[in-house]
Amino acid sequence: DIPKPVIAAVNGAAIGGGHVLHVLCDLTVASATATFGQAGPRVGSFDAGFGSAYLARVVGEKRARQIWFLLDSYDAATAERWGLVNEVVPPDALLPKARDWARKIASYSPTALKFLKHSFNADTDHIAGISTLAFDGLELYGHGEEGMEGVTAFAEKRPPDFTRFR
């Protein structure tokens, strides 16, 4: 809903919630040392809204499912090849690149940018409803035994044991 373009500058691990945040940004510039991926099901969590549905729009259904079902980490070059990031730069060029993009965008018509964002987002507005449903489900799930096993295992630095829930 932000009427201006939002730029993510990723310099490290964008895993789990950080991954969803960068996906939701309009542009992403990544350090060559950045890594990307999901962790949700490993720790008993998920994002059935923007984190999965919008990700599929960005990288395609098969890649999104690969990211969420296999839970591997991907380097910046792979993320760029998949269309997950716009550009990869050396670590010392990350913030200067993001600032250059921001200055360039700031020189344009704010009204035109606002309507462009509306146009880009109009066909994904329905995901907001899906996201609300997902958060409600995650809240309910998170208080159950299965969800608590993931949280407890993460806190105890051990692999979760979901076998009794299969």
Side-chain angles (χ1 to χ4, degrees), residues 7-161:
I7 301 167
V10 180
N11 187 29
I15 306 291
H19 187 262
V20 173
L21 287 175
H22 105 85
V23 168
L24 292 177
C25 290
D26 297 296
L27 301 170
T28 299
V29 59
S31 162
T33 59
T35 56
F36 300 86
Q38 270 306 325
R42 185 180 298 121
V43 296
S45 184
F46 58 88
D47 184 333
F50 285 98
S52 57
Y54 185 70
L55 177 65
R57 178 179 172 199
V58 172
V59 299
E61 286 285 336
K62 290 289 189 178
R63 288 283 187 218
R65 290 168 192 256
Q66 178 180 350
I67 290 167
W68 273 100
F69 293 159
L70 298 180
L71 304 178
D72 293 328
S73 293
Y74 305 97
D75 62 22
T78 301
E80 183 180 31
R81 191 174 70 250
W82 289 357
L84 195 56
V85 303
N86 299 94
E87 190 170 338
V88 176
V89 297
D92 61 338
L94 180 67
L95 288 179
K97 174 59 80 171
R99 288 185 185 116
D100 287 346
W101 286 0
R103 278 190 285 278
K104 187 173 188 176
I105 292 168
S107 74
Y108 302 147
S109 163
T111 302
L113 292 170
K114 178 180 181 176
F115 280 96
L116 281 168
K117 283 212 49 173
H118 280 303
S119 177
F120 282 123
N121 293 340
D123 70 336
T124 57
D125 283 344
H126 66 282
I127 296 176
I130 295 169
S131 188
T132 300
L133 174 67
F135 276 113
D136 288 347
L138 188 56
E139 177 71 20
L140 181 63
Y141 168 78
H143 293 293
E145 286 185 50
E146 184 178 348
M148 292 306 298
E149 168 59 17
V151 171
T152 303
F154 181 77
E156 294 175 354
K157 299 184 186 326
R158 64 170 173 80
D161 180 6

